[in-house]
Amino acid sequence: MDQKDSVEIYQKVDLTNDVTNVNEAALKRERKLRTKIDLCVVPTVTLLYLMCFVDRSNIGNARLAGFEKDLGLKGYDYNTVLSIFYISYILFEIPATLCCKLIGPGWFLPLTTLGFGAMSVATAFVHTRAQACAVRFLLGIFEAGVMPGCAYYLSRWYKRSELTFRLGLWMTMAPLSGAFGGLMASGILKLKSFGSLHGWQMIFAIEGIITIGLSLVALITLTDRPETARWMTEEEKEIAVNRVKSERLNQAMLLDKIDMTKLKRGFSNPITLATSFIFMLNNITVLGISFFLPTIIRSIYPGRTTVQVQLLTVPPYILGAASTVLITTLSWRLNSRQTLIALTGPLVVVGYAIFLATMNPNIRYAAVFLSASTTFSLGAMTNAQVSANVLSDSARSVAIGTNAMFGYIGGLIATWTYLPSDSPRYFIGNGINLGCAATWTIVAVGAGIWMKYDNKKRDEREAGAHEEVAGLTQKEIQDLEWKHPEWRWKA
């Protein structure tokens, strides 16, 4: 080897090292920025959703404290009061999500939180079934945009692989709200009074006031999007935008204006519809647990006091929250969602099968843990999956809204799964939930197989992809969304 060859080799090595060092430095800056976003964005959104779920499900705790008796509710009146909430929720789901996009999550989420906090306080002053139904209807309007709004908001900040875990942290508030709500209700009920309010009235009033206070803080702390973040430098803003934009095929801008063609593509997307159906089935189970767990545990341990029953609702929710973090962490590390969605069903099936098979109180209480173990994770997993399988911001907003709307159709069904006439064994409610878990497992497996099949078909015709879009304008190409020949489904 002569000196010239030696110099050339060392120059190549130096160049490779320079590129490696640049890449490592870029990755280090991105990791540091992601941690900064985690600390500045996720906590506020998480707390908002916690109180959203608390203010929605605290009626289950109030029921044990005399809500039904004081309002003179009989027969199926309680189920009717629950149902009214979901009627308004379903009707306003997609409009609320589009409103969130129009005015911006930084304003929309705190203001709608202020609204449902006020409705929680108002519930403390109802005296009749009609008044309770009216307030619950308004509560549904204000809460309709919270879940899809939060998921949509987080999708502005994170890449696909990262989003599932952050949604998981956020969605742990669903099970934790049950634990938190049970503990809070137990503590509140130990008070003699709160002003002129007593018993179950204090639960709604105190928790509503906490929500209102949190909404006012969120008005100050919640940043609408990366470009407006006061806590980021200009360089960090550019990195935050570009890293999310890098995953958007043929999209010229990260945040587009509302476009009807893209909205239709987001709604008609096959994976949006399949995943939304899974979430509908899942929410029958999740909200059945949220609304009826105190009632179920009272049927298991009829001799326990109200406070003891409230406390027994806490451990299953803790397990549900821990499982949600575990499953979404696996999803992030594996960059996979569909298989994990399918794997959530079997444990839930076993739990409800045990409910149907025995009346032994300790075994039935153990079955509650199985039923709650994996079911809460699908809120994060399904929202992440529909978000990963659309392109534009417009399509993403309507896809997440559709997923949430289907989910709360499941919530409406859930309000009629545990009926007084079915107590104490609840064959109907437990049987429905068993069937839902089995069905969503089958649908998830089927959707995963279809995605692989369709991706293979797209690969086979990839050579003619350019010809398929030839002659189309840039806007028409962008509007193709999942119909673009270069698009591939993300399982």
Side-chain angles (χ1 to χ4, degrees):
M1 179 183 296
D2 60 26
Q3 186 176 3
K4 181 180 178 182
D5 291 337
S6 177
V7 169
E8 286 180 353
I9 289 173
Y10 281 115
Q11 284 176 339
K12 289 178 182 178
V13 170
D14 288 342
L15 182 60
T16 301
N17 288 337
D18 287 343
V19 172
T20 301
N21 290 336
V22 169
N23 289 338
E24 287 180 353
L27 288 173
K28 186 176 180 181
R29 284 199 303 272
E30 185 175 350
R31 284 195 297 268
K32 184 178 179 181
L33 175 60
R34 188 176 61 208
T35 301
K36 191 174 184 180
I37 294 171
D38 286 340
L39 294 174
C40 295
V41 171
V42 176
T44 301
V45 174
T46 299
L47 288 174
L48 291 180
Y49 191 63
L50 169 66
M51 295 315 300
C52 173
F53 222 90
V54 165
D55 288 352
R56 177 190 315 169
S57 58
N58 56 13
I59 192 170
N61 303 107
R63 186 185 193 187
L64 291 182
F67 177 79
E68 280 183 295
K69 181 181 177 182
D70 290 353
L71 268 63
L73 304 184
K74 297 177 182 178
Y76 301 129
D77 285 348
Y78 177 74
N79 302 81
T80 301
V81 172
L82 294 183
S83 299
I84 292 295
F85 169 86
Y86 287 103
I87 292 172
S88 59
Y89 201 111
I90 293 165
L91 290 174
F92 288 88
E93 191 78 60
I94 292 179
T97 308
L98 295 179
C99 185
C100 180
K101 176 176 171 56
L102 277 171
I103 70 173
W107 285 98
F108 176 83
L109 291 174
L111 290 175
T112 201
T113 301
L114 177 64
F116 71 71
M119 290 306 102
S120 180
V121 173
T123 310
F125 297 93
V126 301
H127 298 288
T128 66
R129 188 187 74 164
Q131 291 173 352
C133 287
V135 173
R136 293 289 292 185
F137 186 87
L138 293 172
L139 182 69
I141 293 175
F142 284 112
E143 288 201 6
V146 177
M147 191 187 78
C150 289
Y152 164 67
Y153 177 58
L154 290 176
S155 74
R156 288 184 167 190
W157 296 87
Y158 294 103
K159 296 164 76 171
R160 292 188 191 102
S161 59
E162 303 164 350
L163 181 62
T164 311
F165 176 68
R166 276 73 190 179
L167 289 176
L169 292 177
W170 161 62
M171 287 298 294
T172 55
M173 294 303 103
L176 283 181
S177 70
F180 182 69
L183 290 171
M184 187 181 291
S186 300
I188 290 171
L189 290 174
K190 290 180 180 179
L191 299 175
K192 290 183 179 180
S193 64
F194 180 69
S196 61
L197 305 176
H198 300 81
W200 59 267
Q201 295 173 317
M202 296 190 298
I203 296 175
F204 290 114
I206 293 174
E207 291 177 356
I209 290 170
I210 292 172
T211 301
I212 291 171
L214 179 61
S215 72
L216 297 177
V217 172
L219 276 171
I220 300 170
T221 61
L222 205 63
T223 301
D224 197 61
R225 60 189 185 277
E227 296 94 325
T228 61
R230 293 184 298 272
W231 41 268
M232 287 201 298
T233 65
E234 291 303 317
E235 181 186 10
E236 289 173 333
K237 291 176 184 179
E238 185 177 355
I239 295 172
V241 171
N242 288 338
R243 69 193 209 95
V244 176
K245 190 177 177 180
S246 67
E247 296 185 319
R248 309 282 174 88
L249 176 69
N250 291 310
Q251 298 300 304
M253 61 184 69
L254 188 59
L255 301 180
D256 58 351
K257 294 181 179 180
I258 287 183
D259 184 297
M260 286 306 299
T261 303
K262 291 177 180 178
L263 293 179
K264 290 175 184 177
R265 291 276 194 264
F267 179 80
S268 63
N269 184 307
I271 297 307
T272 294
L273 295 174
T275 306
S276 297
F277 182 66
I278 290 170
F279 191 43
M280 182 188 78
L281 297 171
N282 169 251
N283 244 19
I284 294 173
T285 300
V286 167
L287 292 168
I289 292 172
S290 298
F291 285 126
F292 295 104
L293 186 57
T295 303
I296 293 168
I297 291 179
R298 170 153 282 177
S299 73
I300 295 174
Y301 298 113
R304 302 292 178 93
T305 66
T306 297
V307 171
Q308 287 174 334
V309 171
Q310 301 275 19
L311 292 174
L312 284 171
T313 66
V314 174
Y317 285 123
I318 298 294
L319 176 63
S323 296
T324 298
V325 173
L326 174 62
I327 292 169
T328 53
T329 301
L330 283 173
S331 176
W332 178 23
R333 296 307 181 189
L334 299 174
N335 194 16
S336 173
R337 293 159 297 276
Q338 197 67 27
T339 301
L340 292 171
I341 288 172
L343 290 175
T344 59
L347 275 180
V348 182
V349 169
V350 172
Y352 285 107
I354 292 173
F355 264 119
L356 292 169
T358 181
M359 283 298 289
N360 181 290
N362 293 331
I363 294 177
R364 283 168 69 83
Y365 185 59
V368 173
F369 287 83
L370 287 174
S371 301
S373 59
T374 56
T375 191
F376 285 98
S377 67
L378 284 188
M381 298 295 290
T382 57
N383 276 303
Q385 186 66 326
V386 298
S387 180
N389 282 284
V390 293
L391 274 176
S392 65
D393 196 64
S394 289
R396 181 167 290 100
S397 66
V398 78
I400 292 172
T402 301
N403 188 56
M405 182 185 72
F406 271 71
Y408 288 101
I409 291 173
L412 179 60
I413 297 169
T415 61
W416 293 94
T417 51
Y418 288 88
L419 303 173
S421 58
D422 202 26
S423 177
R425 196 135 189 186
Y426 294 111
F427 278 111
I428 296 173
N430 294 324
I432 288 173
N433 286 320
L434 188 154
C436 286
T439 304
W440 89 55
T441 302
I442 294 168
V443 173
V445 171
I449 293 171
W450 180 84
M451 279 192 281
K452 290 182 180 179
Y453 168 75
D454 195 59
N455 281 345
K456 186 177 180 182
K457 282 177 59 180
R458 290 168 183 261
D459 289 341
E460 290 171 354
R461 68 172 195 266
E462 187 172 14
H466 181 71
E467 286 76 10
E468 290 187 43
V469 298
L472 297 180
T473 65
Q474 182 64 29
K475 184 181 186 306
E476 287 172 333
I477 293 173
Q478 291 174 3
D479 287 348
L480 285 173
E481 291 277 334
W482 57 274
K483 289 183 177 289
H484 195 287
E486 293 180 12
W487 170 257
R488 297 296 183 272
W489 303 107
K490 285 81 178 174

